[in-house]
Amino acid sequence: MSEKNTFTIFGGTGDLTFRKLIPALYNMEMTGSNTFDTQIVVIGRRDYTSSAYRELARDWVEKFTRLSFREEVYEKIAERILYYRMDFTKEEAYGELNAFYRENGAENHVFYFAVAPRFFPVIVQGLKKVDGARGGKVVLEKPFGENLEAAAALNEKMEAFFSPDHIYRIDHYLGKEMVRNIQTIRFANPIFSNVWDAKHIRCIQISAMEEVGVETRGSYYDHSGALKDMMQNHLFQILSIVAMEQPQSSAVEDMHREQMKVLSALVMPEDISGSMVLGQYGGYREEPSVAPDSDTETYAAVRLLVDNDRWRGMPFYIRTGKKLGEREMQVAVVFKSPSPEVESNILNIRIQPTEGVYLQFNIKRPGETDDIIQAKMDFCQSCSLEHHLNTPEAYERLIGACFRGERSWFSQWDQVGISWRYVDAVKAAYRSSGMPLASYEPGSNGPQEAERLLAIYGDTWFDN
Ligand code: BG6
């Protein structure tokens, strides 16, 4: 039996595998970006044969592929898929898994834990029975723990088995094209890099607005909420890239060091009512698997300060929420204006659904007048078919990066830990402040209180 690189997915019949992982592997085959040449072992509890699983997965790939569906390309993926039925919560089942791996010449393991984090420890325990597993890599889906304490305990278990530089914590926002573009936009353009500080910028706003509600994920979400589900991970990662100093080199350690400096400089708010709004959409408590008296927030807006020489005194406004009027993820940089009569210059990095850059600046109204009006330049990157086809979906990019051993675009434990510490603390402070959850209508822009929060400082949210 020849030896084969082996990519194993725990949670092989789950939504993530069908919607994201298998379509990503297919798209990587289409673009030729998967140079790792693996066999794919899919582990699930259900009773499928490999060929039945391949048929099932075909439908999902057809539905969720970013690129067109081509049968001959799918076949190339399908023939490498082996379905293995097991209850991965049973430690004793791993001896047989090891035998299965041996029969199939499995080596160079990459394990993908597409399961809830409470199962991570039992899988790690089981993998002790698998030859070569300890030297393998592991990809972990979020959420990484439920709070700082749980995350730290989980991390200890993971690092006791896998080498820390073989642990890839997925934050799929780090795989998004425009998130990766932030560094280039900042550092390759002196017109921005020279004014990227509190002296020239009035505020930076990071928004992740979603149209969807909690859908079928009520039981998970109700224990999490917007702060933990979106802010602690995705939005703090983006914040740290927007605010960091230019890394000394492209080495992963240099970028992480700079991101960490930002996260370590976050100031704990003294006045909660002037720093935070948590809200819940009308009808949330009637969602499936949500407690009828739930006080989980489905919306969060936070005013953050970063205490370092570049940013001291300048607010970062971060907001995210579900069941809002429009899906929109963006970073808006609002520059200081030279006088109150003149509008601010605004640089807006549009992350999704449109990918692009918008720039607003002042010009003279044409004709015999000195009036000032705004020129609005809107570069839509994703509108070009060529760019669209060449833009890998986040999971394609991140799986490929893991195979190649590129760790820059994964979250590191120290970042995760420090973000948890901050989010745990502000959530507790909000609770003990006695401030109520603000309610908002589904389909609206979020709670009015979030508008009022910025109004305290004379600011408004930037909406395209
Ligand atoms: C996930 C959250 O991490 O990100 C979800 O758990 C959220 O609640 C999703 O809907 C948003 O991802 P995207 O790529 O659709 O913006």
Side-chain angles (χ1 to χ4, degrees):
M1 171 60 58
S2 62
E3 295 180 331
K4 292 184 187 139
N5 295 332
T6 303
F7 180 53
T8 299
I9 305 174
F10 287 92
T13 53
D15 235 39
L16 179 76
T17 303
F18 284 135
R19 280 173 194 261
K20 298 286 186 190
L21 305 185
I22 306 278
L25 292 166
Y26 167 84
N27 285 322
M28 288 162 79
E29 194 66 40
M30 280 285 276
T31 55
S33 59
N34 183 6
T35 48
F36 191 62
D37 190 23
T38 57
Q39 62 182 346
I40 303 157
V41 176
V42 178
I43 294 183
R45 282 186 237 207
R46 296 198 201 149
D47 194 10
Y48 294 123
T49 59
S50 291
S51 64
Y53 184 88
R54 291 170 191 151
E55 287 306 306
L56 187 68
R58 168 188 283 105
D59 296 344
W60 289 85
V61 171
E62 275 191 82
K63 204 159 153 198
F64 288 103
T65 171
R66 168 176 74 82
L67 301 167
S68 58
F69 182 81
R70 287 188 18 219
E71 186 60 38
E72 70 280 14
V73 177
Y74 179 68
E75 280 307 319
K76 283 197 200 158
I77 288 290
E79 68 194 15
R80 305 207 317 256
I81 296 181
L82 298 173
Y83 183 79
Y84 184 75
R85 182 182 176 209
M86 89 182 248
D87 181 350
F88 58 73
T89 63
K90 300 271 178 298
E91 223 182 293
E92 57 280 9
Y94 287 78
E96 281 175 37
L97 175 64
N98 190 37
F100 172 80
Y101 278 144
R102 266 205 220 132
E103 276 161 34
N104 290 286
E107 64 154 28
N108 279 340
H109 286 283
V110 178
F111 301 102
Y112 199 115
F113 289 6
V115 296
R118 65 178 183 282
F119 296 120
F120 294 179
V122 65
I123 299 178
V124 169
Q125 187 60 25
L127 287 179
K128 291 183 180 163
K129 296 197 177 139
V130 169
D131 303 331
R134 191 179 282 276
K137 296 178 189 167
V138 64
V139 186
L140 303 175
E141 262 302 323
K142 68 163 277 266
F144 195 74
E146 281 152 15
N147 52 39
L148 176 62
E149 210 186 329
L154 191 57
N155 193 56
E156 210 178 298
K157 288 209 173 80
M158 299 306 299
E159 291 195 352
F161 186 71
F162 291 105
S163 147
D165 59 355
H166 280 187
I167 301 177
Y168 291 77
R169 293 174 200 81
I170 286 255
D171 185 316
H172 76 284
Y173 268 59
L174 294 179
K176 291 187 190 280
E177 180 64 33
M178 292 307 290
V179 172
R180 299 182 72 132
N181 211 334
I182 292 172
Q183 267 181 288
T184 310
I185 293 170
R186 276 191 63 185
F187 299 124
N189 296 299
I191 58 165
F192 300 133
S193 54
N194 286 331
V195 289
W196 206 263
D197 53 34
K199 187 167 168 229
H200 299 95
I201 297 176
R202 180 184 169 103
C203 67
I204 294 184
Q205 305 183 5
I206 302 175
S207 304
M209 319 289 271
E210 295 192 272
E211 261 183 278
V212 290
V214 292
E215 320 263 270
T216 53
R217 299 165 70 228
S219 61
Y220 149 73
Y221 194 88
D222 208 32
H223 290 103
S224 168
L227 281 173
K228 295 183 176 185
D229 183 54
M230 291 289 289
M231 205 168 280
Q232 178 270 336
N233 36 65
H234 307 321
L235 301 189
F236 273 25
Q237 282 289 342
I238 294 174
L239 166 73
S240 64
I241 297 168
V242 168
M244 72 183 179
E245 300 300 309
Q246 182 160 17
Q248 274 185 357
S249 75
S250 57
V252 52
E253 293 75 17
D254 284 338
M255 176 163 171
H256 288 151
R257 189 173 311 118
E258 295 307 335
Q259 287 181 279
M260 265 309 279
K261 283 189 202 157
V262 173
L263 296 172
S264 315
L266 283 176
V267 180
M268 229 12 105
E270 280 167 18
D271 162 28
I272 285 290
S273 68
S275 308
M276 259 176 102
V277 171
L278 299 184
Q280 190 183 75
Y281 64 79
Y284 171 73
R285 294 175 183 181
E286 284 85 60
E287 297 275 20
S289 311
V290 166
D293 58 349
S294 170
D295 61 356
T296 299
E297 79 285 358
T298 60
Y299 179 99
V302 184
R303 176 179 187 267
L304 291 170
L305 295 173
V306 175
D307 187 27
N308 63 21
D309 288 349
R310 186 180 289 276
W311 298 117
R312 195 159 295 121
M314 191 217 78
F316 289 83
Y317 298 118
I318 305 195
R319 63 179 167 164
T320 181
K322 293 204 178 283
K323 278 267 169 152
L324 299 168
E326 217 175 325
R327 179 170 183 243
E328 181 88 70
M329 164 83 217
Q330 61 188 19
V331 177
V333 182
V334 181
F335 290 90
K336 286 184 175 162
S337 63
S339 71
E341 303 79 50
V342 176
E343 294 279 329
S344 290
N345 292 162
I346 295 176
L347 169 72
N348 188 23
I349 302 174
R350 306 174 70 172
I351 294 171
Q352 67 185 25
T354 307
E355 290 165 356
V357 180
Y358 165 95
L359 184 63
Q360 178 178 301
F361 55 98
N362 298 305
I363 55 167
K364 188 186 87 60
R365 187 192 292 283
E368 293 306 316
T369 167
D370 288 328
D371 285 358
I372 294 178
I373 55 170
Q374 282 73 55
K376 299 178 178 184
M377 297 202 322
D378 206 351
F379 164 63
C380 173
Q381 178 160 290
S382 51
C383 296
S384 132
L385 184 63
E386 188 197 341
H387 284 147
H388 181 67
L389 292 178
N390 288 334
T391 301
E393 214 262 330
Y395 279 90
E396 285 167 55
R397 204 189 301 256
L398 294 174
I399 292 172
C402 168
F403 286 167
R404 292 189 298 274
E406 296 166 7
R407 291 169 44 242
S408 320
W409 296 92
F410 291 86
S411 359
Q412 302 303 298
W413 164 245
D414 49 2
Q415 299 169 337
V416 176
I418 204 162
S419 311
W420 269 128
R421 181 167 304 129
Y422 192 88
V423 164
D424 282 352
V426 291
K427 197 157 181 163
Y430 195 90
R431 288 256 154 87
S432 57
S433 75
M435 278 170 64
L437 270 184
S439 61
Y440 62 99
E441 284 298 311
S444 69
N445 225 4
Q448 282 301 313
E449 286 80 346
E451 310 295 329
R452 277 183 231 131
L453 173 66
L454 265 63
I456 302 175
Y457 306 97
D459 290 320
T460 49
W461 292 105
F462 173 76
D463 288 306
N464 256 327

